[in-house]
Amino acid sequence: MDASHTGDEVECESPAPDSLNRRSSERLDVTWLVDCETDDTFLYASITNISEMGIFIRTTQPLSIGTRLTLRFSPPGAGGSYVLEGTVQWINEVRPLHDNPNPGMGIRFVDLTPDDRERIVDTIRTIAYIRDAPVSSN
């Protein structure tokens, strides 16, 4: 995410703005439960994709751009849970009577420790490897 993003942005018409389509990190589709907590809000939702830089949370109640939140999730087979900080970078709001198959919010991880980043990368690589592993015909 570049530094030109401000809190003045409005909802996105597509699941990801063009700036996020030019990611330098591999993004992996997943379906994981996540708890999102701010000072005054608690949201239980689903992660639908992840990279070493952030996640997309599918929700009909996205938080405001710029909101900082604590994320808690436990990927299957990851050998533990994550408690990470993130910031809402963009939202895809529900638009009644319009086609919006992917409401939610893009979250960028902030203040990741080197160990947290390594765990995320390892989790992504493990899942990608399992998905790409050849199926035995025995």
Side-chain angles (χ1 to χ4, degrees), residues 60-111:
T60 57
Q61 302 169 348
L63 302 172
S64 300
I65 292 171
T67 301
R68 185 162 174 142
L69 60 161
T70 301
L71 307 160
R72 291 179 180 84
F73 57 97
S74 299
S81 61
Y82 289 92
V83 178
L84 303 173
E85 298 295 313
T87 302
V88 178
Q89 295 297 299
W90 57 273
I91 60 174
N92 193 13
E93 292 184 342
V94 173
R95 293 180 299 277
L97 305 176
H98 291 87
D99 181 22
N100 186 13
N102 202 25
M105 55 188 170
I107 308 294
R108 185 173 104 315
F109 297 134
V110 294
D111 300 333

Side-chain angles (χ1 to χ4, degrees), residues 20 23-33 46-58 73 75-78 82 102 107 109 119-133:
L20 289 181
R23 295 179 180 102
S24 59
S25 308
E26 177 184 4
R27 190 158 283 267
L28 186 68
D29 290 334
V30 297
T31 305
W32 299 338
L33 299 177
S46 294
I47 298 171
T48 60
N49 64 52
I50 185 170
S51 78
E52 67 181 271
M53 302 301 293
I55 58 178
F56 179 78
I57 297 177
R58 184 177 176 90
F73 57 97
Y82 289 92
N102 202 25
I107 308 294
F109 297 134
R119 283 184 64 216
I120 291 169
V121 169
D122 286 347
T123 299
I124 292 168
R125 285 182 182 154
T126 300
I127 293 167
Y129 175 78
I130 291 169
R131 288 184 181 172
D132 292 342

